[in-house]
């Protein structure tokens, strides 16, 4: 799990209406000013400058169209994904793992990648056997084999491995269930588990299972400045602070990826500068833009604005230990008393979809929003529930929130909207907003009766969100169950989902868990974020993926 407010770049926050009469976003830096602004000029190298350095000589026959330039809000810290989630802009074009999410159809469906098929599940889920492709290569030309991947995994899980600690991947927890990895044959890999982990299929998508040439790892390579991936592109030049140039990897096994002859990743910190560069044709793709910026770009002729529906959920936790929130009727009343559609429209400018349950629709079969109790806006019903609970005159409380903006969401403004809605049913709340680190430290201790929060699962498996937030074993100080929900039925459904390998049975268990959770209302279920990205209209064959980072640009063609 990670909180997006800790990873997303600062964004242009202007709420002014877009003035398109001059073709310039209010507050944006014009192309001429950008190119003539000293240090900014380095970051804003023109497309022609990037691709006239002699790097493009012979383009592989399978490539099509022109080079594509991607504007990133952050510099990539390393060549391999060792420094955190920000490195995904580079890693998702350069690295591959045993499995992957389906970028062709734009879903979180798990598909084979370095493996030729989904793994065979043996020993009741304590062993996964992978048959590897015989046409997969690392970027140094070494052919992928089971021994290399086993060595990579053992380097991370075996403290006695000679290279233990070389690969400092921040999401190491996705290997926490692994006991060992064994090369059974040249192309057969067994991953043995310490315990059953039904979420493991999603975790095999992670770069911790991607491997690296065994011969290279013996000399402790510099994984910050060199990469040994297996993806459709490889790093051919890097000028930190200016650009990272990627070239098509001729030995990539699949012909429908790596279509563009070159990709360039350019760090451009300011959102207004990224927008100006896209308008000017200096870059072809940007993300991390606000609703106001997206609305402006929709009026720019050479630009397409796309919506990326996410796994993110924004909610308000209610501490079930503390009166009056120990009464389910009060918790349900607060859900009925919030006009979520109006909040999304009036505060977020439509950049979210309503939440009916903890999981967003992007979870596919695990989504339970169609089957749960619907807390449609009904202040009269909310008042009736409060009256049944002996609170016909209402009550007073405090909404605790944080001052950081995560993506399109605005915690303070959203809290103010909630405050006004609840006041209409006699619930009078003050708002206390604080800096993120202080807020989260206190929230995790269970200090707040009402607290706002956003949550993005780090994989598309529901166990991280449901288990951490609702299982009775996760109440503070253990983890994030700050409503102190302790319900045997919820625990039973979550436990079944975590122990069940058969997909439909597992999905049903998690749907059942959500139905019970929604009924108990430990949260006020508010919304799931919609993020925006924009790209040059000349890009073809690009499908937005809910994971973000432009992962499907490996399939794009620029005419």
């Amino acid at each position: 799990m990670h909180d997006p407010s800790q990873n997303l770049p600062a964004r242009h926050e202007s709420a002014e209406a877009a003035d398109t009469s001059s073709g310039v976003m209010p507050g944006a830096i014009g192309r001429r000013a950008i190119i003539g602004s000293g240090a900014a000029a380095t970051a804003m190298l023109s497309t022609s400058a990037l691709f006239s350095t002699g790097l493009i000589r012979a383009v592989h026959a399978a490539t099509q169209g022109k080079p594509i330039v991607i504007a990133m809000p952050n510099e990539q810290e390393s060549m391999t994904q060792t420094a955190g989630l920000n490195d995904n802009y580079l890693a998702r074009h350069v690295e591959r793992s045993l499995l992957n999410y389906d970028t062709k159809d734009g879903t979180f469906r798990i598909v084979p990648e370095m493996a030729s098929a989904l793994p065979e599940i043996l020993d009741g889920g304590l062993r996964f056997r992978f048959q590897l492709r015989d046409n997969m290569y690392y970027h140094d030309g070494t052919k992928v084999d089971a021994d290399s991947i086993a060595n990579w995994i053992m380097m991370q899980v075996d403290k006695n491995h000679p290279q233990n600690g070389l690969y400092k991947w921040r999401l190491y927890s996705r290997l926490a269930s692994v006991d060992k990895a064994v090369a059974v044959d040249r192309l057969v890999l067994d991953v043995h588990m310490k315990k059953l982990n039904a979420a493991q299929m999603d975790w095999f998508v992670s770069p911790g299972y991607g491997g690296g040439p065994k011969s290279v790892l013996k000399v402790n390579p510099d994984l910050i400045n060199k990469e040994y991936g297996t993806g459709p592109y490889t790093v051919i030049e890097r000028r930190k602070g200016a650009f990272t140039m990627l070239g098509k990897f001729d030995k990539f096994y699949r012909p429908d990826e790596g279509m563009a002859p070159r990709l360039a990743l350019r760090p451009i910190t300011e959102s207004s500068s990224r927008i100006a560069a896209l308008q000017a044709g200096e870059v072809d793709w940007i993300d991390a833009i606000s609703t106001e910026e997206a609305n402006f770009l929709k009026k720019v002729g050479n630009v397409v604005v796309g919506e990326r529906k996410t796994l993110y959920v924004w909610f308000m936790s209610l501490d079930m230990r503390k009166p009056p929130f120990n009464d389910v009727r009060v918790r349900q009343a607060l859900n009925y008393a919030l006009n979520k559609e109006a909040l999304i429209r009036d505060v977020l400018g439509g950049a979210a979809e309503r939440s009916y349950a903890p999981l967003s629709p992007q979870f596919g079969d695990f989504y339970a929003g169609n089957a749960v109790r619907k807390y449609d806006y009904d202040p009269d019903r909310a008042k009736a529930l409060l009256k049944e609970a002996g609170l016909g005159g209402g009550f007073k409380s405090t909404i605790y929130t944080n001052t950081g903006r995560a993506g399109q969401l605005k915690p303070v403004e959203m809290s103010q909207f909630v405050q006004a809605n609840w006041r209409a049913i006699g619930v009078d709340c003050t708002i206390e907003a604080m800096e993120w680190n202080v807020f989260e430290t206190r929230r995790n201790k269970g200090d707040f009766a009402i607290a706002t929060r956003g949550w993005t699962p780090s994989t598309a498996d529901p166990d991280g969100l449901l288990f951490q937030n609702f299982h009775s074993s996760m109440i503070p100080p253990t983890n994030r169950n700050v409503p102190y929900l302790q319900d045997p039925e919820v625990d039973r459904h979550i436990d079944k989902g975590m122990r069940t390998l058969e997909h439909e049975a597992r999905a049903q268990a998690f749907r059942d868990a959500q139905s019970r959770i929604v009924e108990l209302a430990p949260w006020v279920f508010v919304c799931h974020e919609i993020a925006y990205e924009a790209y040059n209209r000349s890009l073809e064959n690009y499908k937005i993926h809910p994971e973000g980072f432009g992962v499907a640009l490996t399939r794009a063609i620029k005419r």
Side-chain angles (χ1 to χ4, degrees):
M1 184 284 304
H2 72 282
D3 185 85
S5 64
Q6 307 309 299
N7 295 306
L8 287 173
R11 303 184 181 211
H12 175 69
E13 300 293 343
S14 173
E16 298 174 352
D19 177 8
T20 57
S21 60
S22 64
V24 178
M25 177 73 181
I29 303 173
R31 180 183 183 188
R32 186 172 301 171
I34 293 169
I35 295 176
S37 63
T42 301
M44 295 297 295
L45 288 170
S46 69
T47 304
S48 59
L50 280 172
F51 296 105
S52 63
T53 60
L55 291 172
I56 300 178
R57 295 185 178 92
V59 177
H60 189 272
T63 61
Q64 298 183 48
K66 303 174 183 177
I68 296 172
V69 186
I70 301 167
M72 311 174 295
N74 304 93
E75 176 61 273
Q76 302 299 270
E77 299 173 20
S78 67
M79 291 294 96
T80 53
Q81 198 177 121
T82 62
L85 294 173
N86 286 341
D87 290 326
N88 267 339
Y89 286 98
L90 174 59
R92 292 311 245 148
H93 298 95
V94 171
E95 298 181 5
R96 286 293 186 264
S97 191
L98 288 167
L99 306 177
N100 201 357
Y101 294 130
D102 184 356
T103 59
K104 184 176 182 179
D105 292 334
T107 71
F108 281 115
R109 184 173 68 93
I110 297 172
V111 296
E113 188 68 77
M114 296 174 77
S116 61
L118 295 179
E120 183 182 2
I121 302 174
L122 305 170
D123 303 339
L126 293 178
R127 180 162 53 107
F128 292 82
R129 172 161 289 183
F130 291 90
Q131 179 70 43
L132 304 181
R133 298 185 187 277
D134 196 21
N135 58 346
M136 200 91 178
Y137 293 83
Y138 293 112
H139 289 162
D140 70 342
T142 305
K143 202 166 191 178
V144 171
D145 59 21
D147 194 33
S148 293
I149 299 179
N151 181 66
W152 182 264
I153 295 172
M154 294 303 291
M155 177 178 70
Q156 299 170 80
V157 303
D158 181 5
K159 296 189 183 302
N160 296 318
H161 191 283
Q163 279 83 36
N164 181 252
L166 173 66
Y167 182 64
K168 299 180 177 65
W169 180 44
R170 72 180 289 267
L171 294 179
Y172 166 79
S173 59
R174 293 186 203 169
L175 287 97
S177 300
V178 173
D179 179 35
K180 62 181 178 179
V182 178
V184 178
D185 201 346
R186 186 177 69 86
L187 294 176
V188 179
L189 172 74
D190 277 2
V191 181
H192 297 257
M193 315 304 295
K194 298 174 185 174
K195 59 182 179 180
L196 175 63
N197 176 16
Q200 188 65 40
M201 290 289 284
D202 266 86
W203 294 9
F204 283 132
V205 173
S206 306
Y209 298 95
K214 191 173 181 181
S215 59
V216 171
L217 291 180
K218 286 181 180 179
V219 298
N220 290 340
D222 179 3
L223 297 180
I224 299 296
N225 298 302
K226 294 183 180 181
E227 60 89 9
Y228 300 92
T230 57
Y233 288 98
T234 182
V235 176
I236 57 176
E237 184 175 351
R238 177 169 168 81
R239 298 182 190 175
K240 198 164 184 178
F243 66 88
T244 300
M245 183 75 70
L246 307 182
K248 179 179 175 65
F249 180 49
D250 290 349
K251 290 187 175 182
F252 189 67
Y253 75 97
R254 191 159 55 211
D256 62 347
E257 284 199 77
M259 302 303 292
R262 295 287 186 268
L263 295 182
L265 288 78
R266 295 170 53 186
I268 305 175
T269 304
E270 292 297 326
S271 179
S272 56
S273 298
R274 292 195 301 276
I275 288 171
L278 180 65
Q279 284 182 264
E282 302 286 350
V283 303
D284 300 303
W285 181 93
I286 65 173
D287 70 345
I289 55 180
S290 69
T291 307
E292 295 81 16
E293 291 165 335
N295 289 336
F296 164 74
L297 286 170
K298 288 175 183 177
K299 301 176 184 179
V300 176
N302 66 326
V303 172
V304 176
V305 176
E307 295 184 350
R308 181 172 61 83
K309 295 185 177 181
T310 70
L311 301 174
Y312 187 96
V313 59
W314 198 87
F315 57 91
M316 306 177 75
S317 59
L318 307 173
D319 192 332
M320 298 169 61
R321 303 170 302 166
K322 300 173 182 177
F325 309 110
N326 57 343
D327 191 321
V328 67
R329 294 169 295 188
V330 174
R331 302 193 300 272
Q332 291 179 347
L334 295 180
N335 270 280
Y336 283 119
L338 177 57
N339 190 337
K340 296 152 192 173
E341 287 86 354
L343 184 155
I344 291 168
R345 181 188 66 237
D346 298 339
V347 179
L348 302 179
E353 54 186 335
R354 176 180 160 180
S355 174
Y356 293 95
L359 302 184
S360 88
Q362 306 313 309
F363 278 93
D365 293 341
F366 299 114
Y367 176 63
N370 298 323
V372 300
R373 174 195 286 259
K374 302 290 194 298
Y375 289 111
D376 295 324
Y377 181 53
D378 192 340
D380 291 334
R381 188 170 184 182
K383 290 177 182 177
L385 284 167
L386 289 181
K387 187 174 181 180
E388 286 180 26
L391 294 167
F395 62 91
K396 294 184 178 182
S397 190
T398 301
I399 297 171
Y400 291 90
T401 190
N402 70 88
T403 55
R405 174 170 174 172
Q408 307 301 329
L409 306 186
K410 308 171 184 177
V412 174
E413 294 91 332
M414 295 168 77
S415 297
Q416 291 167 342
F417 187 95
V418 174
Q419 178 189 46
N421 271 205
W422 286 356
R423 188 179 294 124
I425 65 166
V427 177
D428 187 10
C429 289
T430 58
I431 295 174
E432 186 169 338
M434 56 193 69
E435 183 271 332
W436 169 258
N437 289 328
V438 175
F439 167 79
E440 185 65 356
T441 298
R442 291 188 60 188
R443 193 189 81 94
N444 289 341
K445 291 180 180 177
D447 284 356
F448 306 141
I450 306 175
T452 73
R453 181 62 152 86
W455 189 282
T456 296
S458 53
T459 72
D461 193 273
D463 76 321
L465 192 153
L466 295 180
F467 180 71
Q468 291 188 44
N469 287 282
F470 301 111
H471 198 277
S472 61
S473 66
M474 292 289 107
I475 62 172
T478 305
N479 217 292
R480 308 299 178 85
N481 182 357
V482 296
Y484 286 80
L485 174 63
Q486 295 174 280
D487 182 73
E489 184 176 338
V490 169
D491 287 353
R492 185 169 64 254
H493 292 315
I494 292 176
D495 288 341
K496 181 178 180 181
M498 293 175 65
R499 293 194 302 258
T500 302
L501 296 171
E502 197 278 315
H503 178 77
E504 180 49 41
R506 188 165 189 260
Q508 186 61 56
F510 284 135
R511 291 194 296 265
D512 290 342
Q514 291 173 82
S515 294
R516 177 64 174 166
I517 290 165
V518 171
E519 193 69 26
L520 294 174
W523 285 2
V524 176
F525 305 93
V526 183
C527 65
H528 306 288
E529 181 193 28
I530 295 175
Y532 295 105
E533 52 187 73
Y535 52 92
N536 191 314
R537 192 172 292 278
S538 63
L539 285 189
E540 298 178 4
N541 203 39
Y542 174 61
K543 189 178 185 69
I544 292 174
H545 193 277
E547 185 181 8
F549 303 104
V551 297
L553 285 167
T554 59
R555 299 178 179 274
I557 300 168
K558 182 182 176 183
R559 298 299 186 185

